[in-house]
Amino acid sequence: GVKSEYIIKYIEHFIDYEREKIFIVMEFWYKIGGNLRTYIDKIKEDKGCIKEDKIWQFVFEISHALNEYHSKH
């Protein structure tokens, strides 16, 4: 498996042959103690919004995790 500070586990992958793309589904962990879905649900529950700097942090962490994954496969 892939050891990453951001990826909990590989779940599955699927291929869209028509668009010539592969999709990799992984569980992503957010550093506050939970996953991204939990964080988004909490924001929605509080009727808040995600600040731009937090979105950029997610983009960085997800990109970093994908880079780690791809560099080992």
Side-chain angles (χ1 to χ4, degrees):
V2 174
K3 294 194 189 257
S4 169
E5 123 181 56
Y6 304 110
I7 299 171
I8 295 173
K9 69 178 177 179
Y10 164 86
I11 297 172
E12 68 176 319
H13 75 276
F14 56 95
I15 300 171
D16 181 335
Y17 291 100
E18 191 173 296
R19 294 189 299 174
E20 298 180 339
K21 297 197 183 277
I22 185 168
F23 296 88
I24 301 169
V25 181
M26 294 180 241
E27 188 170 348
F28 175 75
W29 180 77
Y30 182 59
K31 288 184 177 182
I32 62 169
N35 62 39
L36 188 55
R37 168 57 48 205
T38 303
Y39 179 80
I40 291 170
D41 287 346
K42 176 78 171 119
I43 294 292
K44 287 169 55 177
E45 182 181 300
D46 294 343
K47 298 194 182 346
C49 63
I50 302 174
K51 295 181 179 178
E52 184 179 354
D53 63 326
K54 187 63 67 180
I55 292 169
W56 282 113
Q57 180 181 354
F58 289 143
V59 168
F60 169 79
E61 291 176 0
I62 291 168
S63 298
H64 183 77
L66 285 172
N67 184 57
E68 285 182 12
Y69 181 83
H70 285 290
S71 70
K72 295 174 181 163
H73 288 89

